[in-house]
Amino acid sequence: MSEMISIPTLEGDSAFGCYIARPEGTPKAAIIVIQEIFGVNVGIRSKCDTWAKAGYLAYAPDLFWRIEPGVELDADIPDEFQTALKLMGQFDQDVGVRDIEAVIHAARKAIDTGAKVGCVGYCLGGRLAFMTATRTDISASVGYYGVGIDNLLRESHAIAHPVMLHIPTADHFVPPESQKLVHDGLDSHPKVVLHDYPGLDHGFAAESGKRRNETGARLADQRTADFFAQHLG
């Protein structure tokens, strides 16, 4: 069962929309799916539905709600891609992480206070997943083709729980020198595992559309599923 619900902010002064997909029976844990710059669109909702079928309580918060609530854009439509870039330019990522933390609290309240909660993000969401790992007590974090993580490595000392990053080597938003910095900064971190995908580009694990690479997406998604099975139960 899935629906849109309302999540209170950490400050309790407002609330934002969040797609939720519930499994049959008692959830084994919760997973927060963190949007790309295209909002909580059909692809992000589909990812939530997949996690629910696997037994997790899945959330996808509308992180652009302060700018424009209910954004749903298609990466394959040029005008909508440009709209997404403009929204990203207006988005406060620090505040976005606080909204993700509010969802962590809501998830634990929905299951129990000791429940494990993981997050998985894509593009902008991949960056936010890394920030969530360094700034909250999230139980496990996965980032797909996160942009600008090389500029966040100063926060890596704060990672207390497992992190997995999927890195396509031909990512036109993350040049090879940035990828090298990420590897140099995180390869030896005891809580972090990195996976490279030779020749693949940004967005290779999109649910559908021109960006998707079927072989790469299936491999990365299986690694993510195994990672959460290990660290969330």
Side-chain angles (χ1 to χ4, degrees):
M1 184 177 69
S2 62
E3 62 178 327
M4 289 296 295
I5 63 170
S6 183
I7 301 283
T9 60
L10 287 180
E11 296 76 15
D13 58 353
S14 191
F16 54 94
C18 184
Y19 181 81
I20 184 171
R22 297 182 176 88
E24 293 185 9
T26 302
K28 50 187 163 184
I31 293 175
I32 302 168
V33 179
I34 309 175
Q35 65 176 71
E36 295 181 274
I37 62 175
F38 310 107
V40 183
N41 58 14
V42 63
I44 293 297
R45 296 195 301 272
S46 176
K47 289 182 184 297
C48 281
D49 295 342
T50 297
W51 288 119
K53 290 175 184 176
Y56 297 96
L57 182 62
Y59 295 84
D62 176 7
L63 297 180
F64 285 167
W65 67 278
R66 290 179 177 84
I67 308 165
E68 183 180 334
V71 169
E72 291 190 42
L73 300 171
D74 188 331
D76 291 336
I77 298 175
D79 287 347
E80 294 191 13
F81 193 97
Q82 291 305 312
T83 297
L85 291 175
K86 291 178 182 178
L87 288 168
M88 182 181 67
Q90 300 173 56
F91 176 62
D92 187 324
Q93 296 181 25
D94 296 324
V95 175
V97 172
R98 289 183 61 77
D99 286 341
I100 294 168
E101 187 173 5
V103 182
I104 295 172
H105 293 183
R108 288 184 175 141
K109 184 176 180 180
I111 304 175
D112 66 63
T113 56
K116 290 187 176 182
V117 181
C119 70
V120 54
Y122 304 82
C123 179
L124 167 64
R127 176 183 173 89
L128 294 175
F130 185 83
M131 294 169 70
T132 300
T134 65
R135 302 184 186 186
T136 77
D137 64 349
I138 193 88
S139 305
S141 305
V142 178
Y144 285 70
Y145 28 85
V147 178
I149 291 177
D150 54 309
N151 296 320
L152 296 169
L153 294 174
R154 63 189 179 277
E155 299 188 27
S156 63
H157 69 279
I159 296 173
H161 301 287
V163 173
M164 174 182 285
L165 299 179
H166 299 293
I167 303 171
T169 64
D171 191 330
H172 64 286
F173 289 116
V174 184
E177 55 269 27
S178 295
Q179 295 176 36
K180 183 179 185 303
L181 287 172
V182 172
H183 273 287
D184 289 347
L186 296 175
D187 277 341
S188 62
H189 197 295
K191 295 291 185 180
V192 181
V193 60
L194 309 180
H195 292 294
D196 285 338
Y197 297 83
L200 297 191
D201 200 353
H202 195 85
F204 76 87
E207 284 293 279
S208 61
K210 298 176 182 177
R211 299 178 300 159
R212 182 175 175 86
N213 177 279
E214 192 66 30
T215 300
R218 287 182 178 274
L219 175 58
D221 288 348
Q222 186 59 58
R223 285 170 167 165
T224 299
D226 292 343
F227 180 80
F228 282 145
Q230 178 183 357
H231 298 295
L232 300 181

